[in-house]
């Protein structure tokens, strides 16, 4: 296996040299929305043609790489400073995980090949009154013949202005306990009554969006799982967000991110060197933990809080590393006002990266929520009191 992995690494390494655009950081800094979307779709198509876009999918749908091969792939992409699949992220991870776990065969055959052809997805979960307490969502879906009529509002829908489809949670039984009356839908974003409004964020872009739904008709065939069982289906989506996506992100943070940090820091300072050694130790633990979680998921032995442990570890380590980058980067780091549109959360523009890192401690369940899950489901501690 080691010899096979060595050969695979050489193959990926050579592919990276030949196919990663050497000027992508320059062309994606200050890029327009149209340039960003065009570049993202082209880069996804390039990865897909090599078999590198969805290595975590089952082989029958275009994936099938072993966990060690996925680790090698993500290590080499990070080492060669490859762009991230920003636009495709929700589709290849959240939408695919949901469809593979809970979708019908017809839904899988409709959407999984379309995602590989460039179909863009957004997640319509959070609302103005339902963020970390997602079960409090108020968007309603009323059955009307062969359709559901949906009314409500979604918030923090990352990439919503570019999306073709939406993973949507809506309340189908207003009288049921709040986790019992939610259903899960696939929403075509071109449906009449859907309005997307971008939100300008702290780093100056409009990645976040609001989605307004006014008498939107969703075919009943687009219901995922059973009516009123959407909360259980959503756990597959959130599990992907908290767990399976972390394999790539951990390798990027541990490779490209740490490299940027070392290049920015005065490593001859013993205090700085000590902090870097601490970060490298934590990164080694994170990468090993992510690999174990993915392997345990494949074998069916993952613990109920494992994904939350990884999500919490990654997001808070990212925050501390980018904070340290801004600290040691000096005035130059504090006056860097632009970063490439297709970069990750560790672009090397440290102040912007640090501001952006706070995003990771909130979505998919804030850090406080992750600690509660770890305490209750992982450690078996008494549940927090609930009003319902």
């Amino acid at each position: 296996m080691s010899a096979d992995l060595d050969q695979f690494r050489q193959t990926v390494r050579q592919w990276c040299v030949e196919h990663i655009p050497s000027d992508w950081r320059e062309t994606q800094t200050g890029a327009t929305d149209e340039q960003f979307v065009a570049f993202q779709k082209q880069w996804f198509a390039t990865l897909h043609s090599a078999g590198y876009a969805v290595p975590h999918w089952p082989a029958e749908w275009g994936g099938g790489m072993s966990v060690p091969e996925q680790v090698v792939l993500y290590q080499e992409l990070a080492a060669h400073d490859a762009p991230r699949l920003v636009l495709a992220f929700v589709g290849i991870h959240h939408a695919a995980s949901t469809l593979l776990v809970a979708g019908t065969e017809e839904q899988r055959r409709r959407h999984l090949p379309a995602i590989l052809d460039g179909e863009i997805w957004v997640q319509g979960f959070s609302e103005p009154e339902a963020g970390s307490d997602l079960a409090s969502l108020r968007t309603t879906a009323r059955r009307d013949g062969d359709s559901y009529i949906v009314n409500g509002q979604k918030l923090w829908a990352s990439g919503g202005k570019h999306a073709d489809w939406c993973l949507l949670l809506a309340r189908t039984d207003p009288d049921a306990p709040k986790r019992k009356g939610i259903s899960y839908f696939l929403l075509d974003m071109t449906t009449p009554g859907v309005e997307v409004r971008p939100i300008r964020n702290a780093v100056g872009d409009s990645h976040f969006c609001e989605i307004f739904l006014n008498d939107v008709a969703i075919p009943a065939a687009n219901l995922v799982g059973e009516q009123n069982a959407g909360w259980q289906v959503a756990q597959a989506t959130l599990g992907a967000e908290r767990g399976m996506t972390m394999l790539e992100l951990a390798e990027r943070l541990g490779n490209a991110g740490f490299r940027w940090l070392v290049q920015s820091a005065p490593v001859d300072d013993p205090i700085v060197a000590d902090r870097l050694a601490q970060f490298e130790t934590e990164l080694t633990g994170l990468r090993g933990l992510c690999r174990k979680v993915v392997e345990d998921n494949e074998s069916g032995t993952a613990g109920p809080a494992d994904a939350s442990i990884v999500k919490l570890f990654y997001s808070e380590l990212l925050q501390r590393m980018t904070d340290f980058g801004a600290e040691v980067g000096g005035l130059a780091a504090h006056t860097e006002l632009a970063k490439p549109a297709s970069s990750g959360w560790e672009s090397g523009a440290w102040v912007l990266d640090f501001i952006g890192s706070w995003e990771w401690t909130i979505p998919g369940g804030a850090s406080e929520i992750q600690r509660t899950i770890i305490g209750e489901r992982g450690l078996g501690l008494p549940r927090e009191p609930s009003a319902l």
Side-chain angles (χ1 to χ4, degrees):
M1 187 62 183
S2 177
D4 291 341
L5 274 182
D6 289 342
Q7 180 58 50
F8 179 66
R9 184 181 295 278
Q10 292 303 318
T11 300
V12 175
R13 186 171 293 173
Q14 185 60 37
W15 183 91
C16 288
V17 170
E18 295 174 356
H19 292 88
I20 294 175
S22 60
D23 63 345
W24 76 267
R25 285 187 170 271
E26 290 74 21
T27 59
Q28 284 289 284
T29 300
T32 65
D33 273 354
E34 292 75 16
Q35 291 169 330
F36 166 66
V37 172
F39 177 82
Q40 280 285 306
K41 290 192 172 185
Q42 180 182 31
W43 176 236
F44 181 82
T46 300
L47 285 167
H48 177 42
S49 66
Y52 298 158
V54 289
H56 56 293
W57 286 18
E60 64 182 295
W61 295 108
M65 276 192 195
S66 67
V67 174
E69 287 173 329
Q70 291 180 53
V71 171
V72 167
L73 173 63
Y74 293 136
Q75 284 176 343
E76 291 301 319
L77 289 173
H80 289 83
D81 193 29
R84 281 200 63 244
L85 292 175
V86 180
L87 269 187
F89 191 80
V90 174
I92 64 177
H93 292 295
H94 306 166
S97 294
T98 302
L99 291 169
L100 288 167
V101 170
T104 65
E105 186 64 21
E106 180 180 352
Q107 290 168 346
R108 286 192 285 268
R109 292 192 179 280
R110 161 63 183 85
H111 290 292
L112 292 179
I115 290 171
L116 294 179
D117 287 337
E119 187 175 81
I120 304 302
W121 285 73
V122 63
Q123 189 169 302
F125 281 20
S126 296
E127 298 182 5
E129 301 297 327
S132 293
D133 185 15
L134 181 60
S136 296
L137 64 88
R138 299 179 180 179
T139 294
T140 61
R142 173 179 53 82
R143 184 69 183 256
D144 183 13
D146 293 333
S147 299
Y148 288 85
I149 306 303
V150 181
N151 286 278
Q153 178 187 354
K154 295 296 177 177
L155 193 60
W156 313 127
S158 300
K161 61 182 175 179
H162 304 305
D164 303 305
W165 284 80
C166 175
L167 301 170
L168 183 74
L169 289 181
R171 189 165 300 283
T172 43
D173 186 350
D175 299 321
K178 59 183 186 179
R179 287 179 175 81
K180 302 294 185 181
I182 296 172
S183 296
Y184 198 116
F185 299 94
L186 309 177
L187 168 64
D188 183 343
M189 293 293 283
T190 64
T191 306
V194 177
E195 180 186 357
V196 179
R197 298 181 191 174
I199 303 171
R200 189 173 178 84
N201 67 18
V203 298
D205 64 35
S206 300
H207 182 59
F208 301 133
C209 295
E210 294 177 283
I211 302 175
F212 293 87
L213 305 158
N214 184 22
D215 289 336
V216 175
I218 300 179
N222 287 6
L223 176 70
V224 182
E226 298 296 325
Q227 180 172 303
N228 298 326
W231 184 258
Q232 290 72 30
V233 177
Q235 301 316 300
T237 307
L238 293 173
E241 186 170 11
R242 296 170 183 163
M244 299 297 285
T245 62
M246 293 296 145
L247 189 61
E248 176 197 359
L249 296 178
E251 289 302 328
R252 284 187 175 272
L253 185 61
N255 195 312
F258 187 68
R259 186 171 68 246
W260 287 117
L261 188 59
V262 171
Q263 291 173 356
S264 302
V267 294
D268 55 341
D269 185 314
I271 296 176
V272 172
D274 182 70
R275 289 289 300 278
L276 291 174
Q278 179 182 341
F279 283 133
E280 187 168 20
T281 301
E282 291 183 86
L283 287 165
T284 300
L286 173 66
R287 293 162 85 175
L289 180 61
C290 288
R291 177 170 176 167
K292 183 178 186 303
V293 167
V294 174
E295 290 174 335
D296 288 351
N297 268 286
E298 289 194 344
S299 65
T301 59
D306 287 1
S308 290
I309 294 170
V310 170
K311 199 268 187 182
L312 179 66
F313 191 179
Y314 169 83
S315 59
E316 299 204 345
L317 179 56
L318 171 68
Q319 194 170 88
R320 286 185 281 107
M321 282 183 62
T322 53
D323 184 17
F324 186 64
E327 179 182 346
V328 300
L331 184 61
H334 288 257
T335 55
E336 181 66 56
L337 302 178
K339 60 185 288 186
S342 295
S343 63
W345 285 271
E346 61 292 306
S347 71
W350 291 115
V351 170
L352 297 181
D353 287 342
F354 176 57
I355 295 172
S357 72
W358 288 81
E359 175 186 345
W360 257 103
T361 63
I362 300 171
S367 292
E368 292 78 5
I369 299 295
Q370 305 310 323
R371 288 186 171 91
T372 298
I373 293 172
I374 293 166
E376 294 178 355
R377 302 180 193 174
L379 301 177
L381 299 178
R383 293 182 62 84
E384 286 191 342
S386 175
L388 296 177

